[in-house]
Amino acid sequence: MAKESILNSLESSPYTTEKKYDVYLSQLKELREEGAAKERALRNENQEIKLNRQLDKETKRELIVGNNNALEKAKKVKNENKEKVSALVSQALSESNAQWKEYYQKVCLEAKEKKAAALAKYNEDKEKLVTENSRKLATIKGLSTQKAENEEDASKIKENIKTEMRAQQIAYKSKMLEIKNEKNEVISKLKDEKFQAYMEKYGYQSNVRFERHAPQETLEFKFRHYLYAFKLKDFLLKNAIYFVLLAFFIFCIAKDSSLLSTKNIISIFGQSSTKLFYSLGVAGLILIAGTDLSIGRLTGASISLVCMIMSSKMYVVNNANWDFTGLNFASSFIIAILLSIIICVLFTSIAGFFTAKFKMHPFITTLSTQLISYGIMMVLFASIPAFNMEISWARTIRGDNNINLIIFSVIAIAVVWFIWNKTKFGKYMYAVGGNAEAASVSGINVFWVTMGIFIMAGVLYGLGGFFEATRVAVGNPSTGTGTELDAIAACVVGGISFSGGVGKVSGAVIGTLIFTALTYCLTYIGFDANMQFIFKGAIIMAAVCLDSLKYLKKK
């Protein structure tokens, strides 16, 4: 069967063969032209006017007032035609769904038959090719029966046979690849045509509904698009690290099934709650192809200050009394959380300024602030072994089983998700991370976006330090050492790419939970603490390696 006969057109679409669907769209367009369509156009125009920097305020006001008058008229027309539009939409969708279902069943049936034909042709061609290859190889081997007059001729005959055998194998593999590619091309074309048949309905209904869809239609579109774009090789490459980690957790659970107890699960969530603040903070820096090495030292600084302020005892530092015992709970709470945020924002802002202004890599700027902040804390507090928070206050803030910390972390996740996905600043973050020069040319202020990311990270570190202090209730400047490695590793495992411009808040959350659970499981089943470094190092290496492979594939 010829390739062309297999790839002939599938069942003709009703949207191209029947005029009634064009008539519905034409009628709807006419009813919406001075109503809904004009309303949308005027709203978009008002938005563009507001963003236009070349217009002064008075001109903007006049233009918007004029558009608003026209907008009121458009709304009136829209309301007048609302019932007609609704009835026409309902009729168009009803006929479309009924006819499309029948049409799509025929498309799927034809595609199935053509796929079977393509596979049959492939198997037939493959069998012929294997038979032909075997025959040619036998013929070539038959040359070895030739009698050589001397040793030199025997050597030449033997060499010629090897050369011809090699050439035949190359030709065989080439032809086998050719027929395999031909089969895959046919199957891919049939898959495209089936998806196109669905997209014709989706596109038509989108036009009928004025580019709106019911929730179930949106979910169906996402599901069908996922299946259409799904490739097993890419899926395995993208999720390989998760399969490895899943196997590890299964191994741990098999070794000690009590790991799945409610107490342990709550404990993992409780430990993850404070680490999430650090992961969410550094995630923004990784999104712009940066990093932050100062998290651990800033954590130590914030925990020390929080524990000192919310302590029931006075501390003598460098012959000076640091006495906050006269503060009540509310006052010490407010002062401690504000000071924790301020100290972290101060140092992240310094790193952000040098990164944004002088194009220094965050690796260097955060390494510098790490050393400076730690040095200051040690100069001030090296003589104090540890600061102890008032334990009753710590319990009040963290709640039973750290439940309050879990709630605070969920709120932080929601806020950061909103910033990343629903604000202009979030869009600018992705743009700067993807290509800072292109973002600058398009009018984005790269300096302030970068500064904003560092400041946001500082706020999150400050909150994380405060809540971590309430969780452990004791600290000194060295507390939190290595926190930056866990936070960065969590983001990398969660799919936030060091290449910049790629990542989700959910990735940072999942990565943090995975790393916390990993550490907890290793400790719980009795692994040496030093073994944890080996596991973490291997996972980070594997995650970054897979990320690099995906990046190279895109290039």
Side-chain angles (χ1 to χ4, degrees):
M1 187 182 292
K3 175 183 170 183
E4 289 74 13
S5 65
I6 295 174
L7 286 176
N8 57 11
S9 299
L10 293 172
E11 179 78 14
S12 298
S13 168
Y15 301 111
T16 57
T17 57
E18 297 194 23
K19 293 183 179 180
K20 64 178 180 180
Y21 294 110
D22 290 332
V23 172
Y24 283 132
L25 291 178
S26 178
Q27 290 174 347
L28 286 168
K29 182 180 180 182
E30 187 177 343
L31 288 170
R32 288 168 173 157
E33 191 169 5
E34 294 299 320
K38 194 165 187 177
E39 180 189 13
R40 178 181 290 180
L42 289 168
R43 289 186 187 280
N44 291 338
E45 190 175 332
N46 279 349
Q47 190 64 27
E48 290 175 5
I49 291 169
K50 290 176 183 177
L51 296 174
N52 194 332
R53 297 180 181 179
Q54 296 179 347
L55 300 176
D56 56 64
K57 290 184 179 180
E58 185 61 29
T59 304
K60 286 183 179 182
R61 190 186 66 79
E62 290 177 1
L63 290 172
I64 290 173
V65 168
N67 282 348
N68 286 341
N69 293 332
L71 195 60
E72 291 302 318
K73 293 179 182 178
K75 286 181 181 178
K76 187 177 179 181
V77 174
K78 176 185 174 182
N79 290 330
E80 289 173 355
N81 294 333
K82 188 174 182 180
E83 290 185 6
K84 291 181 181 179
V85 169
S86 180
L88 202 56
V89 166
S90 179
Q91 187 179 353
L93 292 178
S94 178
E95 291 190 22
S96 168
N97 285 328
Q99 191 163 3
W100 179 83
K101 189 175 181 180
E102 182 182 350
Y103 155 68
Y104 190 67
Q105 285 176 346
K106 291 180 180 179
V107 168
C108 292
L109 183 61
E110 287 188 30
K112 185 177 180 180
E113 291 173 354
K114 289 177 170 54
K115 182 178 179 180
L119 290 172
K121 181 178 182 299
Y122 168 72
N123 289 329
E124 183 184 342
D125 292 344
K126 181 180 176 181
E127 188 177 346
K128 288 180 180 178
L129 190 59
V130 170
T131 303
E132 184 182 355
N133 182 59
S134 299
R135 181 180 59 79
K136 289 185 176 180
L137 288 175
T139 303
I140 294 169
K141 287 178 181 178
L143 297 175
S144 61
T145 58
Q146 294 179 359
K147 292 183 179 180
E149 295 181 359
N150 50 53
E151 188 176 335
E152 184 178 348
D153 288 345
S155 178
K156 285 181 179 180
I157 291 171
K158 190 175 180 180
E159 189 63 34
N160 287 338
I161 290 172
K162 284 184 179 180
T163 303
E164 289 189 32
M165 291 276 282
R166 202 178 302 121
Q168 175 56 31
Q169 289 288 25
I170 292 172
Y172 167 73
K173 288 180 181 179
S174 177
K175 288 180 180 178
M176 186 64 77
L177 182 62
E178 184 181 333
I179 64 171
K180 186 176 180 180
N181 288 340
E182 185 178 307
K183 175 205 68 174
N184 290 339
E185 184 183 344
V186 172
I187 293 173
S188 178
K189 180 77 181 296
L190 294 171
K191 184 180 178 182
D192 291 343
E193 289 182 339
K194 282 174 64 179
F195 185 70
Q196 181 60 33
Y198 165 74
M199 285 303 297
E200 284 178 350
K201 182 194 82 163
Y202 187 81
Y204 177 76
Q205 293 189 342
S206 180
N207 289 332
V208 168
R209 283 202 172 116
F210 206 45
E211 298 177 11
R212 294 186 180 93
H213 287 280
Q216 64 269 23
E217 291 176 351
T218 303
L219 288 173
E220 182 187 10
F221 169 76
K222 290 181 177 179
F223 178 70
R224 286 181 179 271
H225 185 269
Y226 177 81
L227 290 180
Y228 171 70
F230 178 82
K231 291 181 180 178
L232 183 60
K233 185 178 178 181
D234 292 343
F235 176 78
L236 293 175
L237 177 64
K238 184 178 179 181
N239 299 287
I241 190 69
Y242 299 119
F243 292 129
V244 173
L245 289 169
L246 180 62
F248 168 77
F249 288 128
I250 291 173
F251 164 76
C252 291
I253 293 167
K255 192 166 184 179
D256 191 338
S257 59
S258 63
L259 263 172
L260 289 177
S261 67
T262 304
K263 180 182 176 182
N264 287 329
I265 292 173
I266 292 174
S267 181
I268 290 171
F269 277 107
Q271 291 181 27
S272 300
S273 60
T274 54
K275 294 179 181 180
L276 273 168
F277 287 91
Y278 306 125
S279 300
L280 293 171
V282 78
L285 300 179
I286 296 175
L287 194 69
I288 57 171
T291 188
D292 194 339
L293 301 182
S294 66
I295 301 173
R297 297 309 185 190
L298 293 181
T299 298
S302 61
I303 289 177
S304 298
L305 292 170
V306 169
C307 288
M308 179 176 63
I309 293 168
M310 301 190 75
S311 177
S312 59
K313 61 182 288 188
M314 179 185 71
Y315 292 94
V316 179
V317 179
N318 295 330
N319 298 319
N321 294 333
W322 295 62
D323 186 6
F324 296 92
T325 56
L327 297 174
N328 59 26
F329 173 75
S331 299
S332 61
F333 179 95
I334 294 170
I335 292 172
I337 196 169
L338 287 177
L339 189 59
S340 178
I341 292 172
I342 289 168
I343 194 71
C344 290
V345 169
L346 173 64
F347 284 103
T348 57
S349 296
I350 293 170
F353 176 80
F354 282 94
T355 298
K357 184 70 175 177
F358 301 105
K359 310 301 179 187
M360 295 172 65
H361 197 281
F363 182 93
I364 300 300
T365 58
T366 58
L367 175 63
S368 302
T369 53
Q370 176 205 56
L371 296 171
I372 293 169
S373 62
Y374 184 62
I376 292 172
M377 288 296 109
M378 290 304 290
V379 168
L380 291 174
F381 305 129
S383 60
I384 307 296
F387 296 97
N388 296 286
M389 182 186 290
E390 173 59 45
I391 193 67
S392 61
W393 289 0
R395 286 173 180 167
T396 301
I397 295 171
R398 68 178 181 242
D400 294 335
N401 295 320
N402 297 320
I403 187 64
N404 292 341
L405 300 185
I406 295 172
I407 293 171
F408 290 135
S409 67
V410 171
I411 294 171
I413 292 167
V415 171
V416 174
W417 181 89
F418 181 82
I419 292 172
W420 278 39
N421 297 280
K422 299 297 179 180
T423 66
K424 288 182 182 178
F425 178 72
K427 293 177 182 178
Y428 293 165
M429 286 172 61
Y430 280 100
V432 171
N435 190 324
E437 292 182 5
S440 179
V441 170
S442 64
I444 296 173
N445 193 322
V446 176
F447 175 84
W448 282 113
V449 171
T450 305
M451 283 295 297
I453 293 170
F454 273 89
I455 291 170
M456 182 168 66
V459 172
L460 290 164
Y461 299 160
L463 291 170
F466 175 81
F467 291 124
E468 180 67 8
T470 65
R471 192 178 73 84
V472 297
V474 62
N476 60 44
S478 296
T479 304
T481 301
T483 303
E484 66 278 1
L485 299 181
D486 287 344
I488 293 168
C491 291
V492 173
V493 170
I496 301 176
S497 175
F498 269 107
S499 305
V502 177
K504 296 180 180 179
V505 171
S506 58
V509 175
I510 292 170
T512 303
L513 290 171
I514 286 174
F515 254 81
T516 306
L518 175 70
T519 304
Y520 193 91
C521 288
L522 289 171
T523 305
Y524 193 84
I525 62 178
F527 269 75
D528 183 354
N530 295 318
M531 288 291 292
Q532 296 179 19
F533 294 109
I534 299 173
F535 275 96
K536 289 180 180 180
I539 290 169
I540 293 169
M541 182 69 76
V544 175
C545 178
L546 290 170
D547 178 65
S548 299
L549 288 174
K550 286 184 279 187
Y551 178 69
L552 290 172
K553 188 175 181 181
K554 285 181 180 178
K555 290 187 71 177

